[in-house]
Amino acid sequence: MESNRQKKIAGVIQRDLADILQRAATDGGLHGVLISVTKVAVTVDLSIAKVYLSIFPNDKAAELIAGVQKNKAQIKHELARRTKNQLRRVPELDFYVDDSLEYIDKIEKSLKGSENPIENPDILDKRKKS
């Protein structure tokens, strides 16, 4: 269970990181790419923040996450500059792709399309996880 302090810090980080990343993407020449910070989870000691990014279109996700990981120090510096009056120390940032929307879309397509496992149970074998 997150404390109120963790929630407040996560909210501050989420709001500012969304602006930083979207601005960096447009300045970097990636027009038509939408980067959203869907969730920020801060550890109890406030030293690490897990940042979940939703990237549209999905085919650019791997490329953008690699770029974000490479520029993690610059992103943290910009975040520290923006939050200097709110946070003493900026936590280490770990970035992850939030693919929940893509997962939901795949489920909907499976249920609406020809690969409906309810109507055709033979396709379940290829979907089984080992």
Side-chain angles (χ1 to χ4, degrees):
M1 183 98 178
E2 284 186 325
S3 68
N4 284 337
R5 180 141 178 87
Q6 284 174 288
K7 290 178 186 175
K8 286 179 184 178
I9 290 174
V12 168
I13 292 172
Q14 182 175 4
R15 190 172 43 252
D16 288 334
L17 266 181
D19 188 41
I20 291 168
L21 292 174
Q22 189 62 45
R23 186 159 304 183
T26 54
D27 291 347
L30 293 172
H31 298 287
V33 175
L34 181 65
I35 301 174
S36 306
V37 180
T38 56
K39 183 178 179 181
V40 176
V42 182
T43 58
V44 177
D45 62 352
L46 309 176
S47 64
I48 300 171
K50 291 183 179 180
V51 181
Y52 294 92
L53 302 176
S54 177
I55 300 168
F56 183 80
N58 293 332
D59 57 343
K60 304 222 184 231
E63 174 189 340
L64 282 173
I65 284 292
V68 167
Q69 292 289 357
K70 191 172 98 175
N71 297 318
K72 192 187 296 190
Q74 294 166 338
I75 294 169
K76 184 178 176 181
H77 177 72
E78 178 65 21
L79 183 64
R81 192 183 66 73
R82 288 178 181 230
T83 60
K84 65 182 176 186
N85 295 329
Q86 297 163 331
L87 299 176
R88 255 185 225 146
R89 286 185 55 215
V90 175
E92 285 297 317
L93 303 173
D94 292 335
F95 293 97
Y96 301 96
V97 175
D98 183 14
D99 59 351
S100 59
L101 293 176
E102 184 180 335
Y103 180 70
I104 291 170
D105 191 43
K106 284 182 183 178
I107 290 174
E108 285 181 0
K109 283 182 182 177
S110 292
L111 291 176
K112 290 180 182 177
S114 62
E115 292 187 9
N116 190 342
I118 296 171
E119 295 172 359
N120 186 5
D122 296 335
I123 63 173
L124 288 177
D125 293 333
K126 70 178 183 181
R127 292 179 178 259
K128 254 186 215 177
K129 292 184 179 179
S130 302

